[in-house]
Amino acid sequence: MGKRKICVVTGTRAEYGLLYWLMKGIQLDPDLELQIIATGMHLSPEFGLTYRDIEDDGFVINEKVEMLLSSDTTIGITKALGLGTIGFADSLNRLKPDILVLLGDRFEILAAAQAAMIAKIPIAHIHGGEVTYGAYDDSIRHSITKMSYLHFVTTEVHRKRVIRLGEHPSRVYNVGAPGIENIMKLPLLSKNELEQSLGILLEKPVFLITHHPTTLGSNPIEGTEELLEALNCFSGATMIFTKANADDHGRTINHLIGEYVSKDPNRRKFFDSLGQIRYLSLLKYADVIIGNSSSGLIEAPYLETPTVNIGNRQKGRVRPHSVFDCSPETSDIADAIRKALHYQFKEEHHYKIFGVGETSIKIIEVLKKIQIDSIAKEFYDGEIL
């Protein structure tokens, strides 16, 4: 019997960072063969052609699925989803993996899931059972759950939620969040190294700003202009921005940020992609992370950095006390930043709720040993233990 072929799909810089240790573990395991499909933002010059980061890390990309259009409208995203499904159908037919590993809730991953389901390839889904009311990612995530055979969730709350969706408890594993593994294992930069890499002095207070479209709202860029106005209340701060993702109206957000940064390039920087080491290092030295990224809820608390979470994009996610939720209004955002700057981390707040950094080891153990004779499933209506 040959090696079990495990195919991992990645479409964004952030997602790849979460998958890195799992991919490395599969690559080094004598019983497994790693296959990689790169897609989405990885292949876009606009977002830094980050597929090259994957190759620089010593991985071989087996297939590239081009699917992003120049449009970031709802029509453009829907057409990209269709293109992606066609591309994944061809790629999966060539690779013929034994298991397909998918993480999260983006439209690129939905395209991969659809193609794999029809091809009868078992899907192992990471980060299922979570809730984000402010984005259509929420529906995508639950849809992928129903197409998946194996489920690797990040907390006990999420395990029970996946089971409520009808998935059998024997196929749902609480393994913690993969992002925590990066914090435990990656050699983060010193402040001086980070300053040299970023080309800016990190004079306090340091703000890391990551703001994405709220795709289920009537105004996807809601909170963006208000955020920039609120930041004017902290004119002495060092502000590091990362690009919004490729969801609808992400380019509009990036344009607004670009104009804002250009007005004070000595104190503000805007990056297509920071990469995992620089991002986590900056998250460590930042006084607060601001925006609506899940990293503010999951990784930031482990580095003892408080979070200002704007609007509804992350509404419904489990979060610790170090997250300050606010409305997308200028005054509320400014008030939340002031509160976050004065927050003191205390052990009794139980902010480390996403495991202890052993996620990839637990996932690989299951991927190696699980017997999958058929992907046919019955809807589980039994007791949740």
Side-chain angles (χ1 to χ4, degrees):
M1 183 177 176
K3 294 183 178 182
R4 174 170 277 186
K5 294 185 289 185
I6 308 296
C7 182
V8 179
V9 175
T10 174
T12 73
R13 62 189 189 268
E15 173 193 76
Y16 167 63
L18 299 178
L19 288 166
Y20 173 84
W21 292 106
L22 175 60
M23 292 165 62
K24 185 60 69 175
I26 296 171
Q27 183 186 52
L28 296 175
D29 195 293
D31 298 322
L32 300 176
E33 176 186 335
L34 175 65
Q35 300 174 328
I36 299 173
I37 301 178
T39 187
M41 293 163 62
H42 281 310
L43 309 181
S44 169
E46 181 181 358
F47 295 97
L49 292 172
T50 51
Y51 78 87
R52 294 181 296 199
D53 296 338
I54 302 174
E55 293 176 335
D56 289 344
D57 285 337
F59 294 113
V60 174
I61 297 174
N62 302 87
E63 295 277 337
K64 295 176 182 176
V65 175
E66 294 274 9
M67 59 182 290
L68 281 189
L69 303 177
S70 60
S71 166
D72 65 352
T73 64
T74 54
I75 294 173
I77 298 299
T78 304
K79 289 182 177 179
L81 181 59
L83 289 172
T85 305
I86 294 170
F88 280 112
D90 290 333
S91 292
L92 293 174
N93 185 56
R94 285 189 288 268
L95 295 177
K96 294 180 170 55
D98 295 302
I99 299 176
L100 184 70
V101 175
L102 303 177
L103 184 147
D105 46 32
R106 289 188 51 76
F107 63 88
E108 301 98 333
I109 303 307
L110 177 60
Q114 291 176 155
M117 178 188 65
I118 298 299
K120 300 181 180 64
I121 297 170
I123 299 170
H125 184 216
I126 303 170
H127 268 290
E130 300 177 16
V131 175
T132 51
Y133 293 120
Y136 51 52
D137 298 359
D138 198 54
S139 297
I140 291 175
R141 186 185 313 106
H142 299 324
S143 298
I144 295 173
T145 290
K146 292 310 300 176
M147 287 186 270
S148 299
Y149 188 83
L150 295 172
H151 309 275
F152 299 110
V153 301
T154 61
T155 71
E156 188 64 15
V157 170
H158 301 145
R159 187 187 74 86
K160 292 180 178 179
R161 193 174 283 147
V162 168
I163 296 170
R164 289 194 194 98
L165 287 169
E167 299 302 296
H168 197 279
S170 65
R171 294 183 281 103
V172 186
Y173 302 86
N174 179 6
V175 297
I180 307 310
E181 199 161 4
N182 281 328
I183 294 171
M184 303 298 184
K185 293 182 177 179
L186 283 177
L188 301 185
L189 303 175
S190 68
K191 185 178 180 181
N192 183 58
E193 291 171 330
L194 183 58
E195 288 176 333
Q196 291 185 16
S197 179
L198 298 176
I200 189 172
L201 292 176
L202 299 178
E203 297 178 351
K204 286 182 168 291
V206 178
F207 295 169
L208 171 57
I209 301 122
T210 304
H211 195 68
H212 301 295
T214 305
T215 52
L216 275 187
S218 58
N219 177 17
I221 70 167
E222 182 181 57
T224 306
E225 293 173 304
E226 293 84 353
L227 165 60
L228 299 178
E229 290 178 13
L231 292 175
N232 286 330
C233 300
F234 306 89
S235 57
T238 302
M239 303 179 189
I240 310 296
F241 295 81
T242 63
K243 268 193 174 181
N245 60 31
D247 290 337
D248 26 316
H249 295 283
R251 290 180 177 88
T252 304
I253 292 176
N254 291 333
H255 176 72
L256 292 170
I257 293 174
E259 286 189 333
Y260 182 79
V261 169
S262 68
K263 295 175 182 177
D264 188 1
N266 293 323
R267 303 285 295 188
R268 305 168 186 169
K269 285 279 188 176
F270 189 22
F271 292 88
D272 292 346
S273 172
L274 287 169
Q276 277 301 297
I277 291 179
R278 287 201 303 178
Y279 186 84
L280 289 174
S281 299
L282 182 56
L283 193 55
K284 175 182 177 181
Y285 292 109
D287 293 288
V288 60
I289 175 174
I290 305 167
N292 56 17
S293 168
S294 62
S295 62
L297 282 65
I298 299 175
E299 287 92 345
Y302 281 76
L303 291 166
E304 299 196 355
T305 300
T307 299
V308 170
N309 179 58
I310 301 170
N312 291 327
R313 189 170 186 271
Q314 301 298 338
K315 184 178 179 181
R317 280 196 191 273
V318 178
R319 76 225 24 233
H321 291 81
S322 59
V323 177
F324 293 82
D325 296 307
C326 64
S327 73
E329 301 295 333
T330 300
S331 59
D332 286 351
I333 296 170
D335 286 344
I337 293 174
R338 293 187 188 99
K339 292 176 182 176
L341 288 172
H342 288 93
Y343 180 78
Q344 297 293 319
F345 279 82
K346 298 178 181 179
E347 194 62 41
E348 61 266 25
H349 285 174
H350 303 296
Y351 52 88
K352 295 183 178 180
I353 58 178
F354 293 101
V356 294
E358 297 177 346
T359 301
S360 66
I361 297 172
K362 294 178 179 179
I363 292 176
I364 289 171
E365 183 179 356
V366 175
L367 293 178
K368 288 176 65 172
K369 296 181 179 180
I370 191 76
Q371 295 299 313
I372 304 175
D373 300 320
S374 168
I375 62 171
K377 304 181 297 183
E378 294 184 358
F379 194 98
Y380 179 76
D381 270 323
E383 186 177 359
I384 299 174
L385 300 176

